[in-house]
Amino acid sequence: MDLMLDAAALNAIMVKEFPQVAEDYIVEHVEPMQVTVRLPVAERHLRPGGTISGPTMFSLADVSIYLATMAMIGPVTLAVTTNCSIDFMRKPKAGVDLIAQARLLKLGKLLAVGDVLIHSEGMQAPVARASLTYAIPPR
């Protein structure tokens, strides 16, 4: 399958469609069925105990599969999450960026299924793993 959108186009979609959170996500790399997304960690992402909050990691996983789907099908911005399961495996480093590596496992006409590994920059082992399904509206 060929890419429909590159990193610059995906970053532009975030600015246009989600300006309230666009600065939280930077698409760094795109290839067929895969994207790498960085979340520059700020104080608002932290929770008591000196770590990054679960909702922050969930949103990174969710946005990453959304962007991987857009990369393959084009700007169908009304695609929505229909399922998500996330495992928080290790404590991420506070103040260190999170890197999500998302890959689509199946891309059909109506559903996209993928998984995401989230790393704290500089850590070899993942801090979280998520599995997501997106519903793609009829075109």
Side-chain angles (χ1 to χ4, degrees), residues 2 5 101 125 132:
D2 292 331
L5 300 172
Q101 296 169 312
L132 293 101

Side-chain angles (χ1 to χ4, degrees), residues 57-73:
M57 290 185 275
F58 172 89
S59 68
L60 176 58
D62 190 37
V63 166
S64 296
I65 290 296
Y66 177 81
L67 292 168
T69 303
M70 296 301 106
M72 296 306 297
I73 68 173

Side-chain angles (χ1 to χ4, degrees), residues 47-96:
R47 66 174 301 270
T51 189
I52 299 167
S53 72
T56 297
M57 290 185 275
F58 172 89
S59 68
L60 176 58
D62 190 37
V63 166
S64 296
I65 290 296
Y66 177 81
L67 292 168
T69 303
M70 296 301 106
M72 296 306 297
I73 68 173
V76 182
T77 57
L78 294 179
V80 296
T81 310
T82 59
N83 189 57
C84 179
S85 173
I86 188 165
D87 297 305
F88 302 104
M89 300 186 295
R90 290 172 185 81
K91 183 178 177 179
K93 296 178 184 175
V96 176

Side-chain angles (χ1 to χ4, degrees), residues 121-136:
E121 189 170 44
M123 283 179 67
Q124 197 166 30
V127 297
R129 182 203 63 85
S131 175
L132 293 101
T133 303
Y134 258 81
I136 301 167

Side-chain angles (χ1 to χ4, degrees), residues 37-50:
V37 181
R38 175 181 297 270
L39 185 143
V41 173
E43 188 173 337
R44 69 182 176 277
H45 301 120
L46 304 181
R47 66 174 301 270

